[in-house]
Amino acid sequence: MSNSPEGTTITVRRPFDNQFHAEVPRTTADQARAAISRARRIQPRWAELPVARRADVIARAASLILAECDRILDVIQDESGKARISAFEEVMDSARGLRVFANKAPQALRARRRPGAIPALTKTVEHHRPVGVVSIITPWNYPFTLPATDAAQALLAGNAVVLKPDSQTPSAALLLAEIFAEAGLPADLFTVLPGAGSELGPVLVAETDFVMFTGSTATGRTLAAACAQRLIGFSGELGGKNPLLVLPDADLDAAAIGTARAAFANTGQLCISIERAYVHRSVYPEFVERLLAATASLKTGVGHSWEFDIGSLSSAAQLATVEAHVADAVAKGATVLAGGRHRGDLGPFCYEPTILAGVTPEMEVFAEETFGPVLSLYQVNSIEDAINAANDSRYGLNASIWSRHHGPETAARLRTGTVNINDGYAPAFGSHAAPMGGMKESGVGRRHGSAGLLKYTEAQTVADQRLLPIAPPPGVSNETFARVLKAGIAVMNRVLP
Ligand code: NAD
């Protein structure tokens, strides 16, 4: 991002050639407050609509995303520098995700009768009311689908949304706003606020009712603490250092291709990318040979062509981190099995898919998230050792297991929010009806599934008491009331579920 002298616009540069791409208005704190006020005024009318009517709008947006596929791919690529096939993941994820959420919301949000305090006398209904105005803060690495899927669930739950995209990638979020409007979403229910996190973050925390954040663990921690002061809800999808396990019974051909994809797709700038692989010693040499061949077959380059598997890193800052991690590892004795070089000849921020061996705990790449195309390989003596090494991290976002027979039992022992068996990351993330998120320092709360919808609501229990209150009636002593109720509770405990 670079700002105009007046600070009124954000200039977006294209990572493919580091040239000017777009200029978008930069939101001031006052403009953000005004947008939140407008959202607050319109939200009750949206919340009054039957859920099915809100779902119609989101389902139409899903169809429009498919119809606008090529335009969306161009914008995502121009802002983020990723390969077209990686940009397509965003179209696939958002088009399918929005439809699944729209289909499931009416059932998940419906009011439910619950057993009352006193059978027949208490009629109890559980409701889920929208929280009001939801802030969504998103990073640059999935600039279209993260805003689309998070906003869709917040809107389906009856909320208004203000979205702060990363300043590197505001156009993808603005295109999403166009699509929502075309799908019939009333004005002011979804407003994109491009601008600096340091300036707008405090406004969003102070003025809205829930913060959904995706980004680094450091920023997530700051925002969570600020939300705690106001006692508003916070959900954070944060960093990862995601492990992959190759067990002795793995299909090694599939595992090698899948590992290369899981480590290098989106140029490794994916929160659920694999950065550590633990390979059982009985299959290590055969696996490494296949992995190197699979990695060598990946084509890196920039532009809108479908021919490239790996695109550019998103910025000079990302390139600097990747180069620093690899240089530090090599200086401390790691071996580069593949890649390890900046490819300025392909694009200013291109970097080769890189595989390291001999990585030790003193190296930055051992435990810190690189967020780039760098995979560390470790040979382990047993499945037990692989599980222990995988869990030995402050993060707990995603894991991948390659095994014909031991996937589910191994998954049960991993402390990560998603586990993919015989694939890297896409099946769990793409299972939109099931929750997705991180354990440990990888996050709090979940997106997707009914957990990802209901977090944008306040549960409200409405109990309607008929005929008699739950208190001594006039003329009945406290002691008599207590004796009768004690007998009643004993009966209820025997016969009621
Ligand atoms: P970041 O935390 O620097 O920025 C993310 C967003 O937060 C941006 O929009 C930024 O402008 C905003 N922001 C920054 N400071 C803020 C503040 N004080 N208040 C409010 N907003 C603020 O993250 P990044 O480095 O740009 O993104 C990469 C990180 O995101 C990686 O760690 C990656 O693992 C993580 N990520 C996680 C997921 C997931 O689902 N778990 C998905 C994508 C990315």
Side-chain angles (χ1 to χ4, degrees):
M1 174 182 93
S2 68
N3 300 315
S4 69
E6 302 80 36
T8 53
T9 58
I10 294 169
T11 302
V12 182
R13 303 183 81 78
R14 204 171 27 223
F16 286 157
D17 53 10
N18 204 21
Q19 296 299 310
F20 173 88
H21 168 60
E23 194 155 77
V24 300
R26 176 191 168 113
T27 314
T28 63
D30 281 344
Q31 287 167 334
R33 282 190 200 95
I36 294 165
S37 300
R38 288 195 301 275
R40 211 170 271 300
R41 276 199 296 278
I42 182 114
Q43 182 268 332
R45 271 185 275 157
W46 174 246
E48 274 168 18
L49 292 178
V51 184
R53 292 271 306 281
R54 303 200 292 262
D56 285 345
V57 174
I58 300 301
R60 271 198 298 279
S63 303
L64 287 168
I65 289 171
L66 284 182
E68 295 277 1
C69 177
D70 287 340
R71 189 169 155 224
I72 298 170
L73 295 183
D74 289 351
V75 170
I76 293 173
Q77 283 200 280
D78 285 341
E79 284 190 329
S80 69
K82 63 177 70 179
R84 203 158 184 84
I85 187 68
S86 297
F88 182 70
E89 282 189 342
E90 299 207 45
V91 168
M92 190 167 66
D93 184 62
S94 52
R96 184 63 197 136
L98 263 55
R99 186 73 217 199
V100 171
F101 300 153
N103 289 350
K104 300 267 176 210
Q107 172 69 8
L109 291 168
R110 79 181 165 79
R112 285 181 167 77
R113 274 294 289 272
R114 299 294 186 200
I118 307 283
L121 300 190
T122 319
K123 179 186 169 194
T124 300
V125 182
E126 176 188 322
H127 298 270
H128 289 273
R129 313 293 191 197
V131 293
V133 179
V134 170
S135 294
I136 296 178
I137 303 175
T138 48
W140 44 263
N141 66 333
Y142 277 76
F144 187 82
T145 196
L146 293 176
T149 50
D150 288 340
Q153 289 212 301
L155 290 166
L156 282 165
N159 301 285
V161 170
V162 287
L163 174 89
K164 198 211 84 59
D166 191 278
S167 298
Q168 276 176 240
T169 53
S171 311
L174 291 165
L175 176 53
L176 173 68
E178 262 183 54
I179 288 172
F180 276 151
E182 201 182 331
L185 189 71
D188 297 330
L189 271 173
F190 177 77
T191 309
V192 178
L193 308 173
S198 53
E199 188 182 358
L200 299 184
V203 178
L204 298 181
V205 172
E207 309 264 337
T208 65
D209 307 301
F210 189 99
V211 175
M212 168 71 217
F213 171 76
T214 306
S216 63
T217 294
T219 308
R221 215 187 283 281
T222 305
L223 281 169
C227 290
Q229 285 304 314
R230 279 201 60 221
L231 299 176
I232 59 169
F234 170 83
S235 185
E237 304 287 349
L238 311 175
K241 185 77 186 173
N242 306 301
L244 175 145
L245 286 64
V246 182
L247 305 192
D249 65 338
D251 173 341
L252 295 183
D253 289 321
I257 293 167
T259 302
R261 197 170 48 228
F264 306 130
N266 215 49
T267 326
Q269 301 170 122
L270 170 56
C271 56
I272 47 183
S273 284
I274 297 302
E275 295 198 2
R276 311 179 275 150
Y278 301 99
V279 185
H280 195 274
R281 63 181 311 139
S282 63
V283 294
Y284 188 84
E286 299 92 311
F287 173 76
V288 173
E289 191 189 323
R290 288 167 169 80
L291 176 62
L292 293 179
T295 303
S297 74
L298 296 173
K299 201 165 171 192
T300 302
V302 301
H304 290 171
S305 160
W306 286 96
E307 72 183 297
F308 301 115
D309 305 296
I310 312 290
S312 169
L313 287 163
S314 72
S315 63
Q318 279 299 111
L319 175 63
T321 307
V322 170
E323 289 193 299
H325 274 202
V326 174
D328 172 74
V330 170
K332 291 173 181 163
T335 308
V336 177
L337 299 183
R341 286 181 309 158
H342 171 214
R343 291 294 301 271
D345 55 321
L346 300 177
F349 311 132
C350 283
Y351 196 89
E352 289 174 341
T354 298
I355 301 175
L356 302 175
V359 170
T360 54
E362 310 76 59
M363 302 173 190
E364 278 178 299
V365 78
F366 181 83
E368 296 304 314
E369 184 184 41
T370 306
F371 219 54
V374 182
L375 173 70
S376 302
L377 279 185
Y378 303 88
Q379 190 174 163
V380 291
N381 292 325
S382 64
I383 297 178
E384 191 67 22
D385 285 355
I387 292 170
N388 290 338
N391 283 336
D392 183 18
S393 172
R394 66 189 177 103
Y395 294 116
L397 191 55
N398 178 45
S400 163
I401 301 167
W402 293 84
S403 168
R404 288 194 173 90
H405 306 295
H406 303 294
E409 79 216 36
T410 309
R413 299 185 56 200
L414 292 177
R415 299 288 296 158
T416 58
T418 52
V419 181
N420 291 272
I421 298 172
N422 295 323
D423 209 330
Y425 61 83
F429 194 86
S431 298
H432 297 102
M436 184 272 154
M439 296 186 188
K440 300 193 265 183
E441 293 184 29
S442 287
V444 283
R446 295 289 183 268
R447 56 161 52 102
H448 298 174
S450 54
L453 179 71
L454 295 181
K455 77 181 179 192
Y456 295 122
T457 66
E458 293 277 13
Q460 184 185 54
T461 297
V462 178
D464 185 353
Q465 187 65 14
R466 291 179 283 213
L467 298 173
L468 291 171
I470 307 178
V476 176
S477 73
N478 287 347
E479 191 182 359
T480 306
F481 173 76
R483 199 174 337 107
V484 171
L485 212 61
K486 192 174 149 199
I489 290 170
V491 173
M492 284 196 281
N493 284 357
R494 270 202 306 277
V495 301
L496 295 182

